Amino acid sequence: YEDIRTIQPFVPFGALVPGFPGESLQKPQTINISETHTFSPNLLNQAWVSFVRLNFAAPTFTRRDKLSSFGFSYPSTAAAYETIPAIYISGLSPLGNPQGPGIRITNTYEFRDDVSYVHGRHDMKMGADFRNTRYNIAFGSNVNGQFNFTGQFTGNSLADFLLGLPSTFNQSTLASGHLHGWTYEWYFQDRFRLLSNLTLNFGVRHTMATAFAANSNELFGAFRPGMQSTMRTDAPTGWMLSTTPM
């Protein structure tokens, strides 16, 4: 278990003046339970059950303001992260932070079992591993809006800013995703003592990973020319969701 939090006075793409810090987070947690059982002198079984959780957040701005307190009449698309908008004035340092939040929580559930068996001249091992991985993601960009002042109207970017004449304004919503997938693995190997001075080692291993699926119709999983998604009729022709029957 670790909990690493870092306060950054300046974050990527954000303000180059003090007052707009961000916090990054790394919080891995691991639980592992194992059991080793000896059935006989030549038969041994080892089993593991584990859970791994990684809570990762890219530098997320920590300042909180109300847009209305600065005279803005539009709402934030992520109320929990409301602060002043990102303001870019050509030739000057930007204000605010356009990126964030960037949060990813990964949960992995795993069961693994290995068997060791010695019989005559054979030293055999076999086992299987099953893992379920789940991603919970939240990402925002310009959830509080972004103003760009380039001097388009007065010929001077600062004058445009003082007059409240941005060349462009954009705002995005907070996007979230909930993905999950399985990985299946098994193997068999044998160490065969053919002669006193000759040993053969051979085995086989197979790994299969399923495509990630989403909890809702939010993930495009394949391209099928000419087909129209029946799950999202507004999707472009050929774009299939991971939950669309093929």
Side-chain angles (χ1 to χ4, degrees), residues 157-208:
S157 58
L158 182 58
D160 279 8
F161 169 70
L162 294 175
L163 292 173
L165 299 173
S167 57
T168 60
F169 170 80
N170 62 78
Q171 185 180 24
S172 302
T173 59
L174 182 67
S176 62
H178 308 279
L179 312 177
H180 54 89
W182 285 90
T183 301
Y184 305 95
E185 297 183 289
W186 63 268
Y187 75 94
F188 173 83
Q189 67 183 47
D190 185 13
R191 185 171 181 268
F192 178 49
R193 293 179 294 278
L194 183 62
L195 301 171
S196 60
N197 59 351
L198 178 61
T199 300
L200 301 179
N201 290 282
F202 58 90
V204 61
R205 183 182 186 91
H206 178 73
T207 298
M208 183 183 73

Side-chain angles (χ1 to χ4, degrees), residues 55-190:
N55 187 345
F56 172 81
T60 301
F61 49 82
T62 57
R63 176 171 172 161
R64 296 291 179 268
D65 300 292
K66 289 293 184 182
L67 288 169
S68 58
S69 65
F70 289 89
F72 298 105
S73 57
Y74 64 89
S76 171
T77 57
Y81 300 94
E82 186 173 355
T83 186
I84 70 169
I87 300 174
Y88 288 85
I89 306 171
S90 296
L92 300 175
S93 169
L95 300 175
N97 296 320
Q99 300 292 342
I103 301 169
R104 186 183 72 194
I105 299 176
T106 305
N107 295 324
T108 301
Y109 306 85
E110 181 179 16
F111 172 76
R112 189 178 76 187
D113 190 79
D114 290 311
V115 177
S116 299
Y117 179 58
V118 178
H119 179 71
R121 291 181 290 174
H122 294 272
D123 185 355
M124 295 173 284
K125 293 185 178 180
M126 63 203 76
D129 189 324
F130 306 99
R131 292 191 304 277
N132 179 249
T133 303
R134 295 176 175 267
Y135 294 101
N136 299 289
I137 304 167
F139 179 77
S141 178
N142 295 322
V143 295
N144 297 298
Q146 177 180 315
F147 292 88
N148 296 291
F149 298 89
T150 63
Q152 175 183 347
F153 298 97
T154 67
N156 183 285
S157 58
L158 182 58
D160 279 8
F161 169 70
L162 294 175
L163 292 173
L165 299 173
S167 57
T168 60
F169 170 80
N170 62 78
Q171 185 180 24
S172 302
T173 59
L174 182 67
S176 62
H178 308 279
L179 312 177
H180 54 89
W182 285 90
T183 301
Y184 305 95
E185 297 183 289
W186 63 268
Y187 75 94
F188 173 83
Q189 67 183 47
D190 185 13

